[in-house]
Amino acid sequence: MADDGRLPRYPFSFRGDRLAPELAESVAHRPILRVRTNTGTDAWLVTGHAQVRSVLRDRRFSLTLTSDPWMPRQDPLIPPLTVTDIRTHCENAGLLHDLFRGVGPCQQYLTPVRVREIATGLLGTFLAGAQPGDLVGGFIMPLSRALTMELLGLDPEGCPDDATLFTIFRTGPESHPAVPDSWALAQEWMRGRLPGLRADGGGLLGRLLALSDASGVLGEEEVADLFVFLLISQFGNPATFLGAASVGLMSHPEVLARLRADPALLPRAVDELLRWTVFLGDALPRIAREDVRLDDVLVREGDLVLVSTDAANHDPRVFPDPHRLDIDRPPGPHLRFSDGRHRCPGGPVARMQATETLRVLLELTSDLRLAVPADAIAWHRYYAVTLPVTVPVRWTARGAAAERGPGRGAG
Ligand code: HEM
């Protein structure tokens, strides 16, 4: 595990359908350990549920300080300063309330009916294509992009392609010039959208822009950065989750069969998939503002603390038999959307999109299955999120999709 004879090198794995054995071992036996990061600096890796939650809820562990160039880092690249602590920037600019409302359980920008309509159209096209087909490239990505434009109220014209947007999630021991380039492209495109958003005023971004203009706290560039963050959060995170969740579900045909028979179980299944899938290809970083004792470890002021919510979601003290995908499990306090001050505000809208997408997948296919063994699926290496490169699938179309004609068999 330790490549230099001393410290284990983190991250351990990039798979979204199974926790790395090193994390499973840590969470069970040693929930705080010293690791070496991608940049070669040392950090505390926190994996136990209680310890992870206590770090996330403790303001002595700062997210803002992770963008300080003098602090130890997980990865060589620094995102634009204004997107490290979105919450504080939104608070200062008077946007927080409307951001939370715009992605919360009562948001009006993207209804379940609309998600089903969009998903039905895109899935119908995918299912009319050749088999095996790639569920990620053929359905999940176009769907995520379409839902993003709808929720945010963006005209998609000229938006950077999927690969460019996903490049922003790249991590690793090397600095990738493609990351700042991709960010710059997305930011330039977003700046070009601002006049249209101002004129139109509709959609979530239109609303946030009107508030931002009224408060005058953020400059044009900062607004564009904030909106790019929201763009990649809404595009990349739900796509990542759906990629890993679909692999997880197809590796458990008995669960798929139960959901087909009783779609009312879907919200429960989505919650369990949020717990069970491994989402982060990295960890959530924090910097200690002062000396803090965590269990028997003294974290020193300025230390980098890496929080693995994926490991915490597999803590056997909180989730018995944690590696089992069990949709009958009583709802537990999983940390997929983080916790404390920086808890993700997009949880409700992300859950709704996943539930409705899986509903449509089940409605339009009768035996969706992996076309290769789950172990043969490749996952992108060195990304902040765990994305399968492709998910080859086979199916029998049913309902409206069957009327468009079955997918052709190939290979
Ligand atoms: C399955 C989908 C999603 C997952 C798993 C997810 C997860 C997360 C996580 C782990 C964080 C980091 C919190 C931290 O550092 O403690 C975060 C932050 C954030 N997410 Fe999400 N997210 C998802 C979807 C969304 C969506 C759809 C939006 C809205 C468009 C969104 C908006 C945000 C924002 C604004 C933050 C920054 C919060 C802050 O700085 O305090 N997320 N998300």
Side-chain angles (χ1 to χ4, degrees):
M1 174 151 133
D3 64 359
D4 62 354
R6 288 188 309 123
L7 287 181
R9 195 90 195 198
Y10 185 81
F12 304 125
S13 151
F14 301 95
R15 293 192 70 105
D17 61 345
R18 127 183 6 156
L19 193 70
E22 294 90 339
L23 285 177
E25 158 79 15
S26 164
V27 71
H29 303 295
R30 239 173 91 211
I32 306 173
L33 68 156
R34 205 76 176 134
V35 292
R36 185 145 300 162
T37 68
N38 282 330
T39 60
T41 57
D42 299 350
W44 297 107
L45 177 66
V46 182
T47 59
H49 189 277
Q51 294 81 357
V52 162
R53 197 148 73 165
S54 106
V55 170
L56 291 174
R57 289 181 175 184
D58 187 334
R59 299 281 302 266
R60 291 175 297 174
F61 295 104
S62 164
L63 176 61
T64 313
L65 279 177
T66 60
S67 65
D68 182 329
W70 300 106
M71 292 295 168
R73 329 190 34 78
Q74 184 171 208
D75 294 293
L77 281 157
I78 310 177
L81 217 60
T82 50
V83 297
T84 303
D85 182 343
I86 293 293
R87 188 192 165 100
T88 303
H89 287 285
C90 287
E91 235 163 27
N92 294 342
L95 310 181
L96 199 61
H97 175 260
D98 283 65
L99 171 61
F100 271 72
R101 219 173 52 174
V103 293
C106 302
Q107 60 79 26
Q108 302 288 320
Y109 298 113
L110 182 65
T111 62
V113 172
R114 190 69 187 124
V115 174
R116 285 200 293 277
E117 271 171 19
I118 296 175
T120 301
L122 290 170
L123 188 61
T125 306
F126 173 70
L127 297 179
Q131 298 199 34
D134 170 23
L135 194 67
V136 171
F139 174 57
I140 291 176
M141 288 299 188
L143 174 70
S144 227
R145 176 174 282 262
L147 297 180
T148 299
M149 299 302 157
E150 187 93 4
L151 176 74
L152 300 184
L154 280 167
D155 172 358
E157 177 76 31
C159 181
D161 61 19
D162 298 348
T164 304
L165 293 181
F166 253 97
T167 297
I168 292 171
F169 288 96
R170 276 194 86 150
T171 61
E174 311 289 330
S175 286
H176 296 284
V179 180
D181 289 354
S182 297
W183 187 280
L185 259 178
Q187 201 226 42
E188 193 187 321
W189 176 76
M190 192 59 87
R191 285 186 79 150
R193 299 285 98 181
L194 297 184
L197 287 170
R198 271 194 188 100
D200 178 43
L204 176 56
L205 296 192
R207 171 74 191 144
L208 296 181
L209 185 57
L211 288 171
S212 171
D213 286 346
S215 73
V217 171
L218 301 178
E220 201 86 341
E221 193 160 325
E222 291 167 316
V223 172
D225 278 340
L226 169 65
F227 287 3
V228 170
F229 180 94
L230 293 176
L231 171 77
I232 60 165
S233 292
Q234 156 60 35
F235 167 66
N237 292 345
T240 296
F241 170 60
L242 272 177
S246 62
V247 174
L249 276 178
M250 287 183 285
S251 312
H252 294 80
E254 71 292 354
V255 176
L256 260 184
R258 278 190 65 198
L259 295 177
R260 241 183 247 294
D262 185 2
L265 293 172
L266 272 168
R268 192 68 278 292
V270 165
D271 191 58
E272 170 66 351
L273 284 161
L274 283 164
R275 180 199 71 81
W276 180 87
T277 50
V278 175
F279 182 79
L280 298 170
D282 240 335
L284 304 180
R286 299 290 190 266
I287 298 285
R289 291 181 198 274
E290 56 188 78
D291 291 358
V292 183
R293 184 157 287 285
L294 265 185
D295 288 359
D296 57 348
V297 165
L298 180 63
V299 178
R300 294 281 185 192
E301 178 183 349
D303 278 0
L304 174 62
V305 178
L306 298 179
V307 169
S308 174
T309 46
D310 292 309
N313 287 349
H314 290 78
D315 188 331
R317 298 164 198 86
V318 182
F319 305 101
D321 198 3
H323 304 289
R324 200 166 109 83
L325 178 68
D326 175 7
I327 62 172
D328 298 318
R329 190 183 290 280
H334 71 68
L335 301 170
R336 173 56 60 236
F337 295 107
S338 188
D339 201 0
R341 177 172 170 76
H342 296 291
R343 184 181 167 82
C344 171
V349 81
R351 279 175 195 275
M352 183 276 282
Q353 290 175 60
T355 305
E356 298 312 320
T357 301
L358 293 179
R359 192 187 307 283
V360 170
L361 258 179
L362 294 175
E363 273 169 15
L364 296 195
T365 61
S366 60
D367 61 348
L368 186 69
R369 60 201 186 279
L370 288 174
V372 296
D375 281 348
I377 287 176
W379 298 79
H380 284 287
R381 291 174 58 74
Y382 292 113
Y383 277 75
V385 289
T386 56
L387 186 72
V389 179
T390 59
V391 175
V393 292
R394 292 184 178 279
W395 62 86
T396 302
R398 66 175 195 170
E403 283 155 29
R404 294 178 67 161
R408 298 181 303 281

